Amino acid sequence: MSPFDTFMFDWFGDTLFNVVLFNLVLIGPASFAAGHAVALTWRSWPQIVFYTALLSATLRFLDYALAGGELLSLAGFGLGWVVQLAIAAFAFRLTRARQMVRQYPWLYRRKGLLGWDERP
């Protein structure tokens, strides 16, 4: 293994390729769906933190079961959690902005991709 792969395995429990594969390809769409679902049901933002923690635990298990990574890697769990939280928060904000503008068109107008403004 290269020195970089050794560093990745020591800190995150697997190689860079597997970390990116599992975070973005396997669990990333689930995080996007979780953020979207929380926003669609008008639930509060902190629920995303709990759901992404569950997804990050699933990520660690899949990494362990499929790629031979470390199951109890705290840094790997933290990295996965941060990535999944960013994806879910993006989906939440995107969906919430669309909801606010569609349901209350007399009060709000779209401001960029992730925001809304009050109408004058």
Side-chain angles (χ1 to χ4, degrees):
M1 280 199 311
S2 71
F4 184 72
D5 282 341
T6 304
F7 168 78
M8 286 296 294
F9 197 84
D10 287 345
W11 279 93
F12 300 113
D14 214 341
T15 62
L16 178 64
F17 175 75
N18 287 340
V19 168
V20 170
L21 175 73
F22 287 116
N23 268 305
L24 298 180
V25 176
L26 291 178
I27 304 296
S31 292
F32 191 89
H36 181 71
V38 169
L40 278 179
T41 55
W42 293 96
R43 294 195 174 128
S44 64
W45 189 88
Q47 283 191 329
I48 293 175
V49 175
F50 175 69
Y51 293 141
T52 55
L54 291 177
L55 286 170
S56 186
T58 303
L59 171 74
R60 291 307 319 146
F61 175 74
L62 288 176
D63 187 24
Y64 168 73
L66 299 176
E70 291 182 25
L71 179 62
L72 300 176
S73 170
L74 189 58
F77 177 81
L79 175 68
W81 197 358
V82 167
V83 170
Q84 302 318 314
L85 189 59
I87 293 170
F90 174 75
F92 178 85
R93 187 67 180 182
L94 184 69
T95 304
R96 184 58 52 94
R98 188 177 66 229
Q99 278 179 315
M100 294 299 284
V101 172
R102 281 190 183 170
Q103 287 198 315
Y104 307 110
W106 64 94
L107 289 176
Y108 302 111
R109 63 178 175 208
R110 195 71 182 248
K111 180 182 177 186
L113 181 64
L114 301 176
W116 62 90
D117 242 355
E118 287 190 20
R119 289 198 181 268

